Amino acid sequence: MKEAASLVGLPRDGYELWLDYRPVQSAERLGAYRASLQSIAVPGDFSTLAVARAELQRGLSGLLDGPVEISQDQLQGPGLLAGTPQTSSQIAALGWDEQIAAQGPEGYLIRSAMMGGKPAVVIAAGSEMGVLYGSFHLLRLLQTQQPLAGLDIAERPKIQLRLLDHWDNLNRSVERGYAGKSLWKWEELPDTLDPRYHDYARACASIGINGAVLNNVNANPLILRSDYLEKVVALANVLRLYGIRVHLSANFASPLRPSDTPGRFRRVNGIGNLDTADPLDPDVRQWWKEKADEIYHHIPDFGGFLVKANSEGMPGPFDYGRTHLDGANMLARALAPHGGIVMWRAFVYDPHVDPDRTKRAYKEFVPLDGEFEPNVFVQVKNGPLDFQPREPFHPLFGAMPKTPLMMEFQVTQEYLGQGIHLVYLAPMWKEVLDADTFAQGEGSTVAQVIDGSLHGYPMTGVAGVANIGSDRNWCGHHFAQANWYAFGRLAWNHTLSPEQIAEEWIRATFTNDDGTVATIRDMMMGSWEACVNTMMPLCLHHIMREGHHYGPDLEYNAGREDWNPQYYHRADAAGLGYDRSSSGSNAVAQYFPPLCDEFDDLTTCPEKYLLWFHHVPWDYEMRSGRTLWDELVWRYAHGVAAVSRMLETWTGLKSCVDSQRYEEVLKKLSTQVSDAAEWPQVCLSYFQKFSRRPIPAGISDGAFQQHDESR
Ligand code: GCW
């Protein structure tokens, strides 16, 4: 279906995200939609139903290109009816109660049905949130120009808690944020509510996100002080309308007295009146109990605490000779009477535990399995190091059958080109979700661990470190919006394909022109592999400039061995890569058989993880027939060429997308091309000092690639 050319030039600044309800361009579809949706009824008084009504009003009047009335009474005539059996007697009369109940508290049905002899589209759910989610789904059908005839959709989320973790500081800076300041205007809360809070919540609800951690895991204790809690209450009151529960990062030292010299990580700084934050101290326990009571008094649906403890300088139970269990369980007991949870992060890498940083979290946490309170999640990053362009999945997945593990993905692109590079992350997350842990034999995927189906976890969750800020287009880069979108969609249903998600997003955000959709989708689908190849091919890792993490650097001394790139790439005259095989650090042993053996053996280790698990001789023959050195060269060149092609592709779309976003993306892609070229230059000339092999000409401008493609 061709979009009318007239739309293309219209200014669009990205604020509307994928909720850009521009008129349906296919005249045929538009006619069919108007005929099916002649009247619309969403009966009921509840606040979230009012939100659903407002969204349908806004969406349908945009998509159908004309005013839309939404009645709160019975549906008359052919049209749309949305509600629960309690809010609509017409829905109650359909006799769908069993199917509705089967969709759970957040699910819904969308079906074509006859109502009073007239055709209707019915959104039926067991709760008002289900009605809102169903309404967004219906709008998506129109945005992506799907037919409305014969609908029989049944949806329920596969994972219960679908959270965005904001690494937002109280001074409105954002750790690893590349899209302006924090959305939360603490200085003017609680009295002034920025209208963006509603738009943020709409966008989250439209993709099924149902929780937000408002502040950075490097938590300032002030967030729990009563005056800040009032501000949190104001935000919670907005987000609740959209089914989003507020959570907070808690600083473990909060019960301490304020310090005159708090320092960056405030190990000794609190908001309380105690001399200790020892989790076994009765006063400390009482302090947290009272704090939880205070929070729940104002926010009855408060989600709970996210805690980064004894990691990167943050305070924690170890400061008092206690354990993760003592710390997490103490907080869990304070929250449990109110139904709150603790998300205790497994991002710990104390050098005393093991010389190989990637082994440490597993060694600390596996022995604790089964000992946590039932309302504790252990929150685990997707890989064992730290959100690198590619990592094998974290071996904790599958290794803690008695402890609900919550996945932590990073939506913000700390190590993947930040606010500059176009990198669509769904394929990376999907690789992790689909990875087989073999924990209970073949077919025990990471997705089955976190959705609870493998171990029967009583609660399930997934978190994404947000990429959202105060920039007009929310994410800094227009295409970074796709990562926010994809995170939500995968959190709801991890069986969706990255292609399908990309396609939905493009249609809702840019255009329904099939050719343009396919071109943009293919560009997005190749972008992660291009990033991996330009930056850290073959699973090289932790090669980046110190501190800000943008651009290549292979040799600095960060003052801590496990922050230095040399510790990871281990380039020497013999070869390249970290030997984590059984003859090296034996990190492979943290995986279940047969995976541990597959990773252990150089000849069976998937090449995409090669330099993660092996120190490989420069002349080692790869599956391509090339030597390791030549393969490395080839991959870098391949990556740079792929990025150049993305720029060419985008240039070719000039007449197919609106001009503002076209120009803004073009500018970023141009920077991406030149920055991508720096990686092979810097990395290969460094590695060459050890390999003593030639670097072919044209690596950084694609010339080598074109030549080599013929091989
Ligand atoms: O990736 C590292 C980041 C830190 C971050 C830390 C963490 C919030 O460089 O900025 O701190 O991980 O996940 O705790």
Side-chain angles (χ1 to χ4, degrees):
M1 262 161 278
K2 200 79 194 143
E3 290 260 311
S6 59
L7 260 190
V8 163
L10 287 181
R12 288 205 137 65
D13 59 14
Y15 183 82
E16 298 298 330
L17 297 158
W18 50 88
L19 301 176
D20 179 6
Y21 300 124
R22 60 195 186 280
V24 172
Q25 287 300 294
S26 150
E28 188 196 331
R29 278 271 186 270
L30 182 61
Y33 291 153
R34 283 180 174 158
S36 307
L37 303 174
Q38 285 174 37
S39 52
I40 299 161
V42 187
D45 277 337
F46 301 106
S47 42
T48 293
L49 288 177
V51 168
R53 264 196 296 276
E55 196 67 31
L56 286 169
Q57 171 107 51
R58 174 181 193 148
L60 293 177
S61 52
L63 288 156
L64 304 183
D65 203 11
V68 165
E69 292 284 319
I70 300 195
S71 133
Q72 292 197 46
D73 296 326
Q74 302 248 333
L75 178 69
Q76 321 276 356
L80 170 70
L81 172 66
T84 72
Q86 288 72 40
T87 62
S88 160
S89 56
Q90 285 175 301
I91 288 181
L94 287 167
W96 295 352
D97 291 16
E98 220 170 280
Q99 294 100 312
I100 291 173
Q103 301 319 309
E106 295 177 303
Y108 54 85
L109 306 172
I110 306 182
R111 289 182 174 174
S112 304
M114 291 306 281
M115 203 150 263
K118 309 242 172 55
V121 174
V122 181
I123 302 172
S127 71
E128 46 178 323
M129 254 331 283
V131 176
L132 181 60
Y133 286 148
S135 303
F136 277 116
H137 190 138
L138 180 93
L139 289 166
R140 188 157 64 232
L141 292 179
L142 270 69
Q143 286 182 290
T144 53
Q145 302 199 4
Q146 305 296 306
L148 290 188
L151 292 175
D152 188 10
I153 294 168
E155 282 278 335
R156 62 173 297 163
K158 292 195 188 302
I159 295 176
Q160 293 159 354
L161 293 177
R162 306 173 299 277
L163 307 186
L164 280 181
D165 289 356
H166 292 265
W167 284 359
D168 292 19
N169 298 314
L170 302 185
N171 64 5
R172 294 194 65 206
S173 63
V174 180
E175 181 141 354
R176 312 306 174 187
Y178 313 104
K181 292 188 186 178
S182 168
L183 277 187
W184 323 124
K185 297 183 171 169
W186 298 108
E187 70 285 2
E188 54 179 58
L189 283 162
D191 303 326
T192 307
L193 289 171
D194 187 326
R196 275 189 93 149
Y197 303 150
H198 284 271
D199 287 333
Y200 161 81
R202 285 174 55 231
C204 286
S206 75
I207 49 176
I209 287 167
N210 66 359
V213 180
L214 299 182
N215 61 316
N216 191 354
V217 286
N218 289 331
N220 187 328
L222 281 183
I223 191 73
L224 296 182
R225 205 174 63 186
S226 302
D227 53 335
Y228 270 93
L229 287 178
E230 276 179 42
K231 301 167 191 279
V232 175
V233 171
L235 287 172
N237 290 343
V238 174
L239 302 191
R240 181 178 303 115
L241 298 170
Y242 302 83
I244 299 165
R245 290 171 81 172
V246 157
H247 302 65
L248 294 175
S249 292
N251 183 305
F252 201 79
S254 299
L256 298 181
R257 288 174 219 291
S259 151
D260 297 336
T261 50
R264 182 169 177 231
F265 288 113
R266 307 169 183 92
R267 241 176 209 284
V268 292
N269 182 38
I271 53 163
N273 54 359
L274 302 181
D275 295 320
T276 177
D278 179 350
L280 299 193
D281 184 296
D283 291 341
V284 172
R285 290 170 172 240
Q286 184 61 21
W287 190 91
W288 282 108
K289 184 190 167 305
E290 284 171 16
K291 188 48 78 181
D293 293 346
E294 178 190 353
I295 296 173
Y296 279 93
H297 179 70
H298 298 290
I299 312 175
D301 58 350
F302 178 68
F305 293 141
L306 172 62
V307 187
K308 172 174 176 179
N310 294 117
S311 165
E312 301 189 330
M314 291 298 288
F318 290 19
D319 303 349
Y320 305 93
R322 310 300 182 194
T323 66
H324 291 299
L325 289 175
D326 297 328
N329 288 343
M330 182 264 302
L331 293 175
R333 287 187 202 111
L335 295 166
H338 308 283
I341 54 153
V342 171
M343 296 166 282
W344 193 264
R345 292 178 93 226
F347 181 63
V348 292
Y349 54 99
D350 183 338
H352 299 109
V353 175
D354 194 279
D356 180 353
R357 173 170 157 183
T358 68
K359 289 172 65 186
R360 296 171 188 162
Y362 180 101
K363 287 177 81 170
E364 279 198 44
F365 277 89
V366 169
L368 311 181
D369 190 29
E371 305 291 323
F372 288 100
E373 289 287 317
N375 57 332
V376 175
F377 276 106
V378 171
Q379 183 172 298
V380 183
K381 290 187 180 183
N382 58 276
L385 183 53
D386 186 14
F387 298 139
Q388 296 302 291
R390 176 178 254 138
E391 295 185 36
F393 72 86
H394 202 304
L396 274 173
F397 294 110
M400 296 189 71
K402 296 189 221 129
T403 310
L405 299 185
M406 178 183 273
M407 170 66 77
E408 182 177 358
F409 286 128
Q410 195 181 41
V411 188
T412 191
Q413 293 166 234
E414 175 178 358
Y415 299 100
L416 291 97
Q418 305 189 352
I420 307 286
H421 289 211
L422 191 168
V423 186
Y424 176 51
L425 299 175
M428 174 171 81
W429 299 330
K430 193 70 175 170
E431 178 172 297
V432 174
L433 291 165
D434 288 349
D436 198 341
T437 67
F438 290 90
Q440 293 185 5
E442 193 171 355
S444 309
T445 62
V446 171
Q448 289 170 297
V449 173
I450 62 162
D451 76 10
S453 57
L454 193 69
H455 304 309
Y457 289 159
M459 55 181 200
T460 57
V462 53
V465 179
N467 63 349
I468 303 160
S470 62
D471 275 5
R472 179 74 192 158
N473 71 7
W474 301 87
C475 301
H477 196 307
H478 292 289
F479 276 82
Q481 297 178 353
N483 292 330
W484 178 6
Y485 184 85
F487 169 73
R489 296 288 287 135
L490 278 175
W492 178 278
N493 180 1
H494 55 68
T495 69
L496 294 173
S497 75
E499 288 89 343
Q500 182 186 341
I501 296 172
E503 187 157 336
E504 271 176 23
W505 176 79
I506 299 160
R507 288 184 186 275
T509 308
F510 279 108
T511 176
N512 266 294
D513 174 63
D514 290 337
T516 309
V517 170
T519 306
I520 299 180
R521 183 199 58 212
D522 293 351
M523 177 178 81
M524 289 167 71
M525 285 304 297
S527 59
W528 170 51
E529 208 63 56
C531 166
V532 169
N533 280 334
T534 42
M535 295 180 184
M536 304 184 207
L538 299 171
C539 228
L540 283 168
H541 45 287
H542 219 277
I543 295 176
M544 69 282 158
R545 296 211 175 101
E546 198 183 347
H548 60 68
H549 298 172
Y550 188 88
D553 194 341
L554 297 106
E555 44 177 346
Y556 52 77
N557 184 353
R560 195 183 149 153
E561 193 193 26
D562 55 11
W563 283 349
N564 295 342
Q566 306 90 307
Y567 168 88
Y568 296 98
H569 62 65
R570 309 217 158 196
D572 60 18
L576 182 65
Y578 197 129
D579 185 0
R580 297 193 169 101
S581 73
S582 47
S583 43
S585 81
N586 203 22
V588 291
Q590 294 185 340
Y591 292 92
F592 287 90
L595 210 51
C596 47
D597 303 320
E598 187 185 319
F599 289 158
D600 191 32
D601 183 340
L602 183 57
T603 63
T604 56
C605 181
E607 286 188 346
K608 61 184 178 184
Y609 303 134
L610 197 67
L611 303 179
W612 183 278
F613 288 116
H614 294 278
H615 190 68
V616 182
W618 295 110
D619 275 335
Y620 176 76
E621 188 180 323
M622 304 286 292
R623 272 159 226 158
S624 61
R626 290 183 275 265
T627 63
L628 170 68
W629 173 254
D630 286 348
E631 182 75 17
L632 207 58
V633 168
W634 188 87
R635 297 251 175 167
Y636 275 120
H638 201 66
V640 173
V643 172
S644 304
R645 274 198 306 276
M646 283 163 57
L647 176 61
E648 275 164 38
T649 302
W650 188 252
T651 312
L653 292 173
K654 183 166 180 152
S655 60
C656 308
V657 294
D658 52 279
S659 49
Q660 181 173 345
R661 287 186 296 181
Y662 171 79
E663 293 298 339
E664 287 169 2
V665 170
L666 182 71
K667 203 160 161 227
K668 297 223 173 194
L669 274 170
S670 309
T671 313
Q672 181 173 352
V673 168
S674 50
D675 289 0
E678 193 191 351
W679 281 85
Q681 275 166 13
V682 173
C683 295
L684 287 173
S685 50
Y686 174 85
F687 292 143
Q688 190 186 34
K689 290 192 238 160
F690 304 95
S691 78
R692 310 218 167 269
R693 282 154 180 81
I695 304 173
I699 292 295
S700 294
D701 60 12
F704 167 79
Q705 173 69 20
Q706 278 149 28
H707 161 75
D708 193 68
E709 211 73 91
S710 57
R711 270 175 58 168

